[in-house]
Amino acid sequence: MKKHENYDIAEIMRSRPHLFILGAGATKATIPHGDKYSRQSPVMENFMQEIGIDGLLYGIKLKTKSKNIEAIYSELASKPEYADVVRKIEDGIVAHYRQMQIPDAPTLYDYLILSLRKKDCIATFNWDPLLIQAYNRVNKITKDLPQMLFLHSSVAVGICEDCRHYEPYRNRYCSICGKPLDSPKLLYPVKNKNYSQNIFIKDAWSTLQYYLETACIVTIWGYSAPRSDEEAKNMMLKAFSSDYRPLDQIEVIDIAVEDVLYKTWQPFAKNTNFHLNIHRSLMESLIGEFPRRSIEGYVKRYIEGWWNGSTLTLKECKTFEELTLLMKPLIENESQNNYNVI
Ligand SMILES: [Zn+2]
């Protein structure tokens, strides 16, 4: 214990993780013109029409007048006579997302994953496979990449309940026992979700709790905390508020009206002594200025009072060769155990 007491605050802070929480807006910003084949990532409003399964509602009298998938799905799922329609909607959603392919050129998801390290974490509410697809190509640049959590599951994940093990669904068979992988059921938008529906989702939430408690910076990107996620938001707030953390930082990356964003995230900011910054794009956030060194950069500037700027900032790259070259000085330093801001 004595040894710990000798560490200065900055040293302890530098060892803490950076947590990113992603919502639908992050995928939208990552593929503004659609995926590799121009397939759009649907938004909750008008979701069924956008993915071409609104025909399933033909002849069904819904109480809700909303076109929002949350309202429609919740209502149908509460009525046993519609179990068949509900299953068809779920199949339609999975089929749509399974087809999605990340564009060939580097995307914001590639920049994001590559700008964090093993001690950091990306937790996503999105079902789409794009984040995993990005991970599978940036891991050719470095293996020191963040942990990923799929809070509502993902169509790109396969699980083996026997081995309590999960891996990419495209592997088809469990790499431990050889049995065919199951596709974990997605967590659909109903008010009372079952967060222990399967081991995959359960593990994701308990790991998220650890990162919420320990992260020095939490960045929330494109996640609007919709009504059907009220329980999720409360769970996150409880974990984040387990301590008063006046030196920590919350960043929100979103294009919504600022007042709305402040109102949504103010309860979280309270515990950081209102250290809440709002940015309009990923590139403006701390990883834009300090890729792979976000915590180090933050501590250097705000705790140690450094006035200069980083010389290696995130830039749009047209190819992966360009991106590899951009990150090279940082990754080379890391091989010498040097994590300084440059
Ligand atoms: Zn297995």
Side-chain angles (χ1 to χ4, degrees):
M1 198 63 209
K2 267 228 164 91
K3 197 176 162 203
H4 279 267
E5 284 164 6
N6 291 338
Y7 278 137
D8 64 358
I9 292 173
E11 197 58 44
I12 294 168
M13 284 185 83
R14 270 191 285 269
S15 68
R16 291 171 59 200
H18 186 167
L19 169 66
F20 258 81
I21 297 171
L22 314 187
T27 288
K28 208 76 191 155
T30 295
I31 48 164
H33 310 295
D35 77 345
K36 187 174 176 178
Y37 303 106
S38 307
R39 261 183 229 107
Q40 297 298 321
S41 177
V43 288
M44 288 297 182
E45 201 62 44
N46 235 7
F47 185 97
M48 295 188 60
Q49 198 179 14
E50 278 189 44
I51 69 168
I53 58 167
D54 48 327
L56 290 171
L57 299 178
Y58 185 74
I60 294 176
K61 283 208 167 65
L62 287 166
K63 263 195 225 137
T64 178
K65 293 284 163 265
S66 167
K67 293 255 188 261
N68 192 304
I69 182 74
E70 293 185 80
I72 296 171
Y73 185 93
S74 293
E75 185 176 337
L76 291 172
S78 70
K79 296 175 179 164
E81 66 267 35
Y82 291 128
D84 199 40
V85 183
V86 168
R87 196 183 43 78
K88 284 181 182 155
I89 292 174
E90 292 175 354
D91 289 347
I93 292 172
V94 171
H96 177 83
Y97 281 113
R98 275 244 164 94
Q99 289 176 53
M100 290 191 89
Q101 287 287 333
I102 200 159
D104 288 332
T107 66
L108 293 180
Y109 275 173
D110 297 281
Y111 303 142
L112 167 66
I113 298 168
L114 202 50
S115 295
L116 297 170
R117 305 202 313 264
K118 212 161 21 202
K119 69 177 176 66
D120 305 315
C121 178
I122 302 171
T124 178
F125 282 93
N126 300 332
W127 295 321
D128 68 71
L130 302 180
L131 193 69
I132 291 185
Q133 291 170 358
Y135 187 95
N136 285 338
R137 53 193 195 184
V138 296
N139 77 359
K140 295 184 180 81
I141 301 174
T142 172
K143 301 286 179 220
D144 189 347
L145 296 174
Q147 155 99 286
M148 293 200 292
L149 304 175
F150 297 88
L151 304 171
H152 285 174
S153 191
S154 158
V155 297
V157 166
I159 55 171
C160 175
E161 290 266 4
D162 290 355
C163 302
R164 296 184 64 83
H165 165 77
Y166 33 86
E167 59 185 296
Y169 185 69
R170 59 173 194 170
N171 293 356
R172 303 286 304 279
Y173 299 96
C174 171
S175 58
I176 300 173
C177 72
K179 282 193 190 142
L181 290 170
D182 280 327
S183 180
K185 200 173 186 265
L186 303 178
L187 212 49
Y188 291 101
V190 287
K191 195 159 178 268
N192 297 311
K193 295 192 191 73
N194 178 7
Y195 290 94
S196 19
Q197 180 173 285
N198 59 53
I199 50 152
F200 179 69
I201 290 177
K202 206 173 153 195
D203 281 3
W205 279 91
S206 60
T207 312
L208 176 69
Q209 191 171 333
Y210 161 80
Y211 281 104
L212 280 165
E213 284 168 6
T214 54
C216 173
I217 305 169
V218 176
T219 306
I220 299 147
W221 181 19
Y223 178 62
S224 60
R227 248 185 317 165
S228 62
D229 279 352
E230 192 62 31
E231 198 186 339
K233 196 183 159 192
N234 290 338
M235 284 196 281
M236 292 195 291
L237 181 60
K238 196 172 159 215
F240 188 76
S241 313
S242 58
D243 226 341
Y244 180 55
R245 44 211 296 177
L247 299 177
D248 295 354
Q249 177 74 46
I250 294 181
E251 295 183 298
V252 174
I253 307 171
D254 209 302
I255 50 172
V257 179
E258 279 201 16
D259 284 353
V260 174
L261 296 172
Y262 275 115
K263 210 172 149 203
T264 305
W265 300 111
Q266 197 86 313
F268 283 77
K270 205 172 143 192
N271 284 286
T272 64
N273 207 13
F274 297 97
H275 288 168
L276 172 64
N277 284 339
I278 290 177
H279 303 291
R280 294 309 191 184
S281 83
L282 180 74
M283 299 304 213
E284 288 172 18
S285 75
L286 277 161
I287 62 159
E289 184 176 5
F290 303 111
R292 299 187 70 74
R293 301 289 184 272
S294 50
I295 307 288
E296 289 83 357
Y298 174 76
V299 170
K300 200 171 165 77
R301 174 164 301 148
Y302 297 102
I303 308 298
E304 298 177 330
W306 184 57
W307 283 80
N308 295 338
S310 167
T311 55
L312 200 159
T313 56
L314 212 47
K315 288 179 188 69
E316 261 187 60
C317 297
K318 294 218 161 42
T319 62
F320 280 93
E321 289 73 31
E322 215 179 296
L323 184 58
T324 306
L325 218 58
L326 176 70
M327 295 292 180
K328 204 176 164 199
L330 293 170
I331 293 170
E332 275 181 358
N333 282 355
E334 288 164 21
S335 68
Q336 313 291 322
N337 247 342
N338 174 350
Y339 295 94
N340 291 337
V341 172
I342 53 176

